[in-house]
Protein backbone atom coordinates (compact mmCIF):
# COMPACT_ATOMS: atom_id res chain seq x y z
CA UNK A 1 0.00 0.00 0.00
CA UNK A 2 1.64 3.22 -1.19
CA UNK A 3 0.04 6.17 0.61
CA UNK A 4 1.80 8.53 -1.78
CA UNK A 5 2.27 11.22 0.88
CA UNK A 6 -1.30 11.04 2.18
CA UNK A 7 -2.69 10.45 5.68
CA UNK A 8 -5.19 7.69 6.41
CA UNK A 9 -7.35 8.32 9.49
CA UNK A 10 -9.18 5.35 11.00
CA UNK A 11 -12.45 6.59 12.60
CA UNK A 12 -14.78 4.53 14.80
CA UNK A 13 -17.76 5.34 16.97
CA UNK A 14 -17.95 4.69 20.70
CA UNK A 15 -15.25 3.08 22.85
CA UNK A 16 -14.98 -0.27 21.09
CA UNK A 17 -11.41 -1.55 20.98
CA UNK A 18 -10.18 -1.96 17.45
CA UNK A 19 -7.12 -1.53 15.23
CA UNK A 20 -6.01 0.59 12.31
CA UNK A 21 -4.42 -2.33 10.44
CA UNK A 22 -5.25 -6.01 10.91
CA UNK A 23 -3.00 -8.61 9.26
CA UNK A 24 -5.45 -11.46 9.59
CA UNK A 25 -4.35 -13.96 6.93
CA UNK A 26 -1.52 -16.48 7.01
CA UNK A 27 1.33 -16.38 4.48
CA UNK A 28 0.92 -12.61 3.98
CA UNK A 29 3.44 -9.74 4.00
CA UNK A 30 1.69 -6.37 4.11
CA UNK A 31 3.93 -3.41 3.16
CA UNK A 32 2.81 0.17 3.84
CA UNK A 33 4.95 3.09 2.69
CA UNK A 34 5.19 6.84 2.08
CA UNK A 35 2.55 8.41 4.30
CA UNK A 36 0.82 8.53 7.67
CA UNK A 37 -1.66 6.40 9.62
CA UNK A 38 -3.68 7.64 12.59
CA UNK A 39 -6.91 7.15 14.52
CA UNK A 40 -9.30 9.12 16.72
CA UNK A 41 -10.15 6.02 18.80
CA UNK A 42 -8.15 5.98 22.04
CA UNK A 43 -8.93 2.26 22.45
CA UNK A 44 -7.55 1.26 19.07
CA UNK A 45 -4.22 -0.46 18.48
CA UNK A 46 -2.16 0.53 15.49
CA UNK A 47 -1.29 -2.78 13.84
CA UNK A 48 -2.32 -6.24 15.03
CA UNK A 49 -0.84 -9.56 13.92
CA UNK A 50 -3.06 -11.63 16.19
CA UNK A 51 -4.97 -14.82 15.29
CA UNK A 52 -8.63 -15.50 15.86
CA UNK A 53 -9.42 -17.18 19.17
CA UNK A 54 -8.20 -20.77 19.20
CA UNK A 55 -6.13 -20.35 16.03
CA UNK A 56 -2.40 -19.99 15.39
CA UNK A 57 -1.12 -17.24 13.07
CA UNK A 58 1.57 -18.45 10.68
CA UNK A 59 3.92 -16.56 8.35
CA UNK A 60 2.40 -13.12 8.83
CA UNK A 61 4.49 -9.96 8.45
CA UNK A 62 4.20 -6.21 8.13
CA UNK A 63 6.65 -3.62 6.80
CA UNK A 64 6.44 0.13 7.44
CA UNK A 65 8.70 2.18 5.19
CA UNK A 66 8.70 5.99 5.37
CA UNK A 67 5.54 5.87 7.47
CA UNK A 68 4.37 7.76 10.56
CA UNK A 69 1.91 5.80 12.71
CA UNK A 70 0.22 7.70 15.57
CA UNK A 71 -1.91 5.96 18.23
CA UNK A 72 -3.37 8.34 20.86
CA UNK A 73 -4.60 6.02 23.62
CA UNK A 74 -3.28 3.55 26.18
CA UNK A 75 -2.91 0.91 23.49
CA UNK A 76 -0.30 -0.84 21.34
CA UNK A 77 1.40 0.73 18.37
CA UNK A 78 2.14 -2.76 17.02
CA UNK A 79 1.22 -6.02 18.74
CA UNK A 80 1.70 -9.72 17.95
CA UNK A 81 0.74 -12.91 19.81
CA UNK A 82 2.79 -15.46 21.74
CA UNK A 83 1.38 -18.38 19.75
CA UNK A 84 2.38 -16.89 16.38
CA UNK A 85 4.81 -18.79 14.19
CA UNK A 86 7.32 -17.04 11.92
CA UNK A 87 6.11 -13.48 12.45
CA UNK A 88 8.05 -10.51 11.06
CA UNK A 89 7.72 -6.79 11.80
CA UNK A 90 9.96 -4.22 10.11
CA UNK A 91 10.20 -0.45 10.61
CA UNK A 92 12.41 1.35 8.12
CA UNK A 93 12.77 5.14 8.06
CA UNK A 94 9.54 5.33 10.04
CA UNK A 95 8.11 6.87 13.22
CA UNK A 96 5.79 5.24 15.74
CA UNK A 97 4.09 7.63 18.21
CA UNK A 98 2.17 6.15 21.14
CA UNK A 99 2.33 8.91 23.78
CA UNK A 100 0.06 7.12 26.28
CA UNK A 101 0.70 3.48 25.42
CA UNK A 102 3.17 0.81 24.30
CA UNK A 103 5.31 1.09 21.19
CA UNK A 104 5.75 -2.54 20.10
CA UNK A 105 4.84 -5.69 22.03
CA UNK A 106 6.47 -8.71 20.38
CA UNK A 107 6.03 -12.09 22.14
CA UNK A 108 6.22 -14.13 18.92
CA UNK A 109 8.58 -16.56 17.31
CA UNK A 110 10.02 -14.42 14.51
CA UNK A 111 11.94 -11.20 13.80
CA UNK A 112 11.52 -7.56 14.78
CA UNK A 113 13.71 -5.15 12.78
CA UNK A 114 13.96 -1.42 13.53
CA UNK A 115 16.15 0.51 11.11
CA UNK A 116 16.67 4.28 11.05
CA UNK A 117 13.35 4.75 12.83
CA UNK A 118 11.90 6.41 15.93
CA UNK A 119 9.58 5.01 18.59
CA UNK A 120 8.05 7.44 21.10
CA UNK A 121 6.03 5.70 23.80
CA UNK A 122 4.93 6.11 27.39
CA UNK A 123 4.83 2.59 28.86
CA UNK A 124 7.59 0.77 26.98
CA UNK A 125 9.26 1.43 23.65
CA UNK A 126 9.73 -2.22 22.70
CA UNK A 127 9.08 -5.35 24.73
CA UNK A 128 10.55 -8.50 23.23
CA UNK A 129 9.48 -11.81 24.76
CA UNK A 130 10.58 -14.17 21.97
CA UNK A 131 12.39 -14.06 18.65
CA UNK A 132 15.06 -11.77 17.26
CA UNK A 133 15.30 -7.99 17.70
CA UNK A 134 17.67 -5.87 15.60
CA UNK A 135 17.91 -2.12 16.28
CA UNK A 136 20.10 -0.03 13.97
CA UNK A 137 20.48 3.77 13.92
CA UNK A 138 17.14 4.20 15.68
CA UNK A 139 15.77 6.15 18.65
CA UNK A 140 13.49 4.44 21.18
CA UNK A 141 12.03 6.33 24.14
CA UNK A 142 9.78 5.39 27.07
CA UNK A 143 8.63 8.16 29.43
CA UNK A 144 6.84 6.22 32.20
CA UNK A 145 8.23 5.25 35.60
CA UNK A 146 9.85 1.84 35.85
CA UNK A 147 7.84 -1.18 36.98
CA UNK A 148 8.00 -4.94 36.46
CA UNK A 149 5.26 -7.55 36.93
CA UNK A 150 5.03 -11.18 35.76
CA UNK A 151 2.43 -11.61 33.05
CA UNK A 152 1.68 -14.74 31.05
CA UNK A 153 -0.56 -12.86 28.66
CA UNK A 154 0.79 -9.38 27.96
CA UNK A 155 3.50 -6.89 28.83
CA UNK A 156 5.66 -7.14 31.95
CA UNK A 157 7.44 -3.77 32.24
CA UNK A 158 6.99 -0.01 32.00
CA UNK A 159 9.52 2.79 31.76
CA UNK A 160 11.90 0.76 29.59
CA UNK A 161 13.11 1.74 26.13
CA UNK A 162 13.91 -1.87 25.18
CA UNK A 163 12.56 -4.54 27.55
CA UNK A 164 13.48 -8.20 27.18
CA UNK A 165 11.58 -10.81 29.20
CA UNK A 166 11.26 -14.38 27.98
CA UNK A 167 7.66 -15.55 27.62
CA UNK A 168 6.18 -18.72 29.11
CA UNK A 169 6.77 -20.26 25.66
CA UNK A 170 10.54 -20.04 26.35
CA UNK A 171 11.36 -19.38 22.69
CA UNK A 172 14.95 -18.33 22.00
CA UNK A 173 15.74 -14.60 22.19
CA UNK A 174 18.48 -12.69 20.36
CA UNK A 175 18.94 -8.90 20.63
CA UNK A 176 21.38 -6.72 18.66
CA UNK A 177 21.70 -2.94 19.11
CA UNK A 178 24.14 -1.06 16.91
CA UNK A 179 25.03 2.09 15.03
CA UNK A 180 23.86 5.49 16.21
CA UNK A 181 20.86 4.18 18.12
CA UNK A 182 19.54 6.04 21.17
CA UNK A 183 17.65 4.23 23.96
CA UNK A 184 16.14 6.48 26.60
CA UNK A 185 14.01 5.68 29.65
CA UNK A 186 14.18 4.97 33.37
CA UNK A 187 15.77 1.78 32.05
CA UNK A 188 17.38 2.06 28.65
CA UNK A 189 17.86 -1.70 28.22
CA UNK A 190 16.48 -4.20 30.73
CA UNK A 191 16.54 -8.00 30.46
CA UNK A 192 14.90 -10.20 33.09
CA UNK A 193 12.79 -13.37 33.00
CA UNK A 194 9.79 -12.58 35.19
CA UNK A 195 7.80 -15.74 34.39
CA UNK A 196 9.79 -18.74 35.59
CA UNK A 197 13.27 -20.08 36.27
CA UNK A 198 13.60 -21.73 32.85
CA UNK A 199 15.37 -18.83 31.10
CA UNK A 200 17.35 -20.29 28.20
CA UNK A 201 18.78 -19.31 24.82
CA UNK A 202 18.89 -15.58 25.58
CA UNK A 203 21.68 -13.63 23.88
CA UNK A 204 22.30 -9.90 23.52
CA UNK A 205 24.89 -7.80 21.69
CA UNK A 206 25.44 -4.05 22.02
CA UNK A 207 28.08 -2.77 19.58
CA UNK A 208 27.16 0.91 19.64
CA UNK A 209 24.56 3.51 20.49
CA UNK A 210 23.72 5.86 23.33
CA UNK A 211 21.95 4.59 26.45
CA UNK A 212 20.28 7.27 28.57
CA UNK A 213 19.03 5.19 31.49
CA UNK A 214 20.10 2.10 33.39
CA UNK A 215 21.27 -1.03 31.61
CA UNK A 216 20.61 -4.38 33.29
CA UNK A 217 20.67 -8.05 32.34
CA UNK A 218 19.82 -11.04 34.47
CA UNK A 219 20.92 -13.73 32.02
CA UNK A 220 23.51 -12.23 29.62
CA UNK A 221 27.19 -11.51 30.18
CA UNK A 222 29.97 -9.82 28.21
CA UNK A 223 27.62 -8.42 25.58
CA UNK A 224 28.62 -4.72 25.43
CA UNK A 225 31.47 -3.90 23.04
CA UNK A 226 30.67 -0.25 22.24
CA UNK A 227 28.45 2.71 23.01
CA UNK A 228 27.90 5.62 25.39
CA UNK A 229 26.14 5.20 28.75
CA UNK A 230 24.77 7.28 31.61
CA UNK A 231 25.19 4.30 33.97
CA UNK A 232 28.36 2.25 34.41
CA UNK A 233 28.28 -0.77 32.01
CA UNK A 234 31.37 -2.46 33.49
CA UNK A 235 29.44 -5.56 34.57
CA UNK A 236 28.59 -6.40 30.94
CA UNK A 237 31.85 -5.62 29.12
CA UNK A 238 32.82 -7.85 26.20
CA UNK A 239 36.26 -9.44 26.19
CA UNK A 240 39.04 -6.98 25.40
CA UNK A 241 36.89 -3.86 25.90
CA UNK A 242 37.17 -1.21 28.61
CA UNK A 243 35.07 1.56 30.11
CA UNK A 244 36.43 5.06 29.41
CA UNK A 245 34.90 7.47 31.96
CA UNK A 246 34.50 11.03 30.73
CA UNK A 247 32.02 13.73 29.84
CA UNK A 248 30.57 12.82 26.45
CA UNK A 249 27.87 15.25 25.33
CA UNK A 250 25.36 14.42 22.60
CA UNK A 251 21.98 16.07 21.94
CA UNK A 252 22.06 17.80 25.31
CA UNK A 253 22.70 14.58 27.28
CA UNK A 254 25.97 13.97 29.13
CA UNK A 255 27.10 10.35 29.03
CA UNK A 256 29.61 9.50 31.74
CA UNK A 257 30.89 6.27 30.23
CA UNK A 258 32.10 5.06 26.86
CA UNK A 259 32.94 1.47 25.96
CA UNK A 260 35.80 0.96 23.55
CA UNK A 261 39.30 -0.37 23.07
CA UNK A 262 42.02 0.16 25.71
CA UNK A 263 44.05 3.35 25.36
CA UNK A 264 47.70 3.12 24.23
CA UNK A 265 50.04 2.40 27.13
CA UNK A 266 52.28 5.31 26.22
CA UNK A 267 51.40 8.57 24.47
CA UNK A 268 54.20 10.78 23.18
CA UNK A 269 53.93 14.52 22.73
CA UNK A 270 54.25 15.52 19.08
CA UNK A 271 56.56 18.48 18.56
CA UNK A 272 59.15 19.69 16.11
CA UNK A 273 62.10 18.34 18.12
CA UNK A 274 60.64 14.83 18.26
CA UNK A 275 61.11 13.54 14.69
CA UNK A 276 60.32 9.92 15.63
CA UNK A 277 56.61 10.67 15.90
CA UNK A 278 54.93 10.71 12.47
CA UNK A 279 51.97 12.69 11.26
CA UNK A 280 48.71 11.17 12.43
CA UNK A 281 45.93 10.09 10.04
CA UNK A 282 43.64 13.03 9.34
CA UNK A 283 46.34 15.66 9.83
CA UNK A 284 46.32 16.46 6.14
CA UNK A 285 42.96 18.15 6.61
CA UNK A 286 44.51 20.73 8.95
CA UNK A 287 46.22 23.93 7.75
CA UNK A 288 49.84 23.36 6.80
CA UNK A 289 51.18 25.41 9.73
CA UNK A 290 49.31 23.13 12.17
CA UNK A 291 50.41 19.78 10.71
CA UNK A 292 53.76 19.68 12.54
CA UNK A 293 52.42 20.06 16.06
CA UNK A 294 49.05 18.56 15.13
CA UNK A 295 47.12 20.92 17.39
CA UNK A 296 43.40 21.31 17.77
CA UNK A 297 42.57 24.85 18.89
CA UNK A 298 39.56 24.82 21.13
CA UNK A 299 37.58 27.52 22.94
CA UNK A 300 34.75 27.23 25.48
CA UNK A 301 34.18 24.59 28.15
CA UNK A 302 33.95 20.80 28.22
CA UNK A 303 34.99 18.16 25.71
CA UNK A 304 32.47 16.62 23.30
CA UNK A 305 32.23 12.96 22.33
CA UNK A 306 33.90 13.46 18.92
CA UNK A 307 36.83 15.21 20.60
CA UNK A 308 37.10 12.42 23.18
CA UNK A 309 37.10 9.89 20.35
CA UNK A 310 39.90 11.68 18.53
CA UNK A 311 42.09 11.64 21.63
CA UNK A 312 41.19 8.13 22.80
CA UNK A 313 41.91 6.64 19.39
CA UNK A 314 45.35 8.23 19.34
CA UNK A 315 44.80 10.41 16.30
CA UNK A 316 43.99 13.99 15.39
CA UNK A 317 41.09 14.72 13.12
CA UNK A 318 39.59 17.91 11.76
CA UNK A 319 36.67 18.23 14.15
CA UNK A 320 33.39 19.95 13.18
CA UNK A 321 33.20 23.65 13.99
CA UNK A 322 30.79 23.00 16.87
CA UNK A 323 33.34 20.76 18.56
CA UNK A 324 36.12 23.32 18.20
CA UNK A 325 34.32 25.61 20.63
CA UNK A 326 35.12 23.40 23.61
CA UNK A 327 38.07 24.05 25.91
CA UNK A 328 40.06 21.05 27.11
CA UNK A 329 40.90 20.86 30.81
CA UNK A 330 43.16 18.30 32.51
CA UNK A 331 40.23 16.55 34.18
CA UNK A 332 38.36 16.28 30.87
CA UNK A 333 41.10 14.46 28.95
CA UNK A 334 41.11 10.67 28.62
CA UNK A 335 43.99 9.00 30.44
CA UNK A 336 47.17 9.01 28.38
CA UNK A 337 46.56 12.19 26.41
CA UNK A 338 48.82 15.21 26.91
CA UNK A 339 47.99 18.89 26.96
CA UNK A 340 49.93 22.11 26.33
CA UNK A 341 49.01 25.78 26.08
CA UNK A 342 50.12 28.77 24.06
CA UNK A 343 49.08 32.40 23.85
CA UNK A 344 46.24 31.67 21.44
CA UNK A 345 44.36 28.69 22.82
CA UNK A 346 44.46 25.43 24.70
CA UNK A 347 45.80 22.66 22.47
CA UNK A 348 45.65 18.91 22.80
CA UNK A 349 48.41 16.68 21.45
CA UNK A 350 48.26 12.90 21.19
CA UNK A 351 50.33 10.26 19.44
CA UNK A 352 49.13 8.67 16.16
Amino acid sequence: LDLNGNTYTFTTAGTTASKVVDVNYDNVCFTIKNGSLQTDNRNADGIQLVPARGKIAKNRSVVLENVTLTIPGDAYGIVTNGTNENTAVTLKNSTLNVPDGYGIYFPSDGTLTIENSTINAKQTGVELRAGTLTVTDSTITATDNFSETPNGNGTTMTGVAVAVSQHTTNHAIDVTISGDSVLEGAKALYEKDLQDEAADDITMSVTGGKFNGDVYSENCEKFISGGYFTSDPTAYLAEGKVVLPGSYVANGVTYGYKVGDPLPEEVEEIREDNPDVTVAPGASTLPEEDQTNLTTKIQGTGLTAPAQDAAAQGEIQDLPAADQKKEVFDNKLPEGATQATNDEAVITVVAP
Side-chain angles (χ1 to χ4, degrees):
L1 173 61
D2 191 340
L3 294 169
N4 195 27
N6 293 299
T7 296
Y8 170 74
T9 301
F10 174 67
T11 58
T12 55
T15 59
T16 303
S18 191
K19 53 269 186 184
V20 178
V21 176
D22 187 5
V23 183
N24 56 4
Y25 285 90
D26 290 345
N27 305 309
V28 167
C29 177
F30 187 17
T31 298
I32 306 170
K33 59 184 181 180
N34 303 327
S36 298
L37 302 170
Q38 61 187 29
T39 181
D40 62 357
N41 185 344
R42 294 186 57 84
N43 295 287
D45 293 331
I47 300 174
Q48 289 187 3
L49 296 92
V50 177
R53 186 178 299 274
K55 303 293 184 180
I56 296 177
K58 299 180 180 181
N59 307 314
R60 301 184 187 184
S61 62
V62 65
V63 177
L64 298 185
E65 185 172 354
N66 300 313
V67 169
T68 297
L69 171 59
T70 301
I71 302 302
D74 183 3
Y76 295 110
I78 301 174
V79 58
T80 71
N81 187 269
T83 64
N84 288 11
E85 297 179 1
N86 194 30
T87 300
V89 173
T90 300
L91 272 66
K92 185 174 182 179
N93 304 320
S94 293
T95 299
L96 177 58
N97 296 314
V98 195
D100 286 330
Y102 298 84
I104 300 177
Y105 177 59
F106 195 94
S108 306
D109 169 43
T111 60
L112 172 55
T113 304
I114 304 169
E115 178 183 341
N116 194 34
S117 294
T118 299
I119 298 175
N120 300 308
K122 179 182 178 180
Q123 313 285 7
T124 295
V126 173
E127 179 162 344
L128 184 82
R129 305 201 65 187
T132 298
L133 169 64
T134 303
V135 180
T136 308
D137 298 328
S138 296
T139 297
I140 303 175
T141 303
T143 61
D144 206 357
N145 296 324
F146 174 71
S147 68
E148 57 180 13
T149 305
N151 189 349
N153 186 30
T155 61
T156 64
M157 302 181 197
T158 64
V160 186
V162 172
V164 181
S165 184
Q166 195 168 54
H167 203 283
T168 54
T169 56
N170 288 315
H171 287 310
I173 287 177
D174 182 56
V175 176
T176 300
I177 300 171
S178 64
D180 193 25
S181 295
V182 178
L183 274 59
E184 183 171 0
K187 308 293 182 183
L189 174 62
Y190 194 86
E191 182 276 315
K192 186 176 183 180
D193 187 351
L194 295 170
Q195 293 306 135
D196 52 43
E197 298 180 357
D200 193 19
D201 293 329
I202 301 174
T203 58
M204 296 201 298
S205 172
V206 172
T207 62
K210 300 176 180 69
F211 297 79
N212 184 9
D214 294 340
V215 173
Y216 172 81
S217 178
E218 177 185 54
N219 297 292
C220 298
E221 300 177 346
K222 302 178 180 180
F223 63 89
I224 297 178
S225 60
Y228 297 89
F229 302 83
T230 57
S231 64
D232 189 349
T234 299
Y236 309 108
L237 280 180
E239 293 286 351
K241 300 297 180 178
V242 298
V243 172
L244 303 169
S247 182
Y248 308 95
V249 180
N251 298 321
V253 177
T254 299
Y255 298 86
Y257 309 90
K258 176 191 172 184
V259 171
D261 294 321
L263 293 171
E265 293 184 3
E266 296 183 2
V267 178
E268 295 185 78
E269 185 174 352
I270 303 173
R271 57 186 188 274
E272 292 183 16
D273 60 353
N274 187 0
D276 294 331
V277 179
T278 59
V279 174
S284 61
T285 63
L286 298 174
E288 183 176 353
E289 62 270 20
D290 291 335
Q291 290 185 25
T292 300
N293 288 330
L294 301 180
T295 62
T296 300
K297 297 179 181 180
I298 305 173
Q299 298 175 341
T301 59
L303 182 60
T304 61
Q308 286 272 21
D309 283 344
Q313 293 169 6
E315 64 182 41
I316 295 292
Q317 60 187 13
D318 189 10
L319 298 174
D323 298 320
Q324 295 178 7
K325 297 178 180 178
K326 303 292 184 182
E327 184 175 4
V328 180
F329 293 103
D330 288 333
N331 63 353
K332 294 291 187 181
L333 285 172
E335 182 179 355
T338 61
Q339 179 176 299
T341 61
N342 60 20
D343 294 337
E344 295 180 357
V346 174
I347 61 174
T348 304
V349 184
V350 296

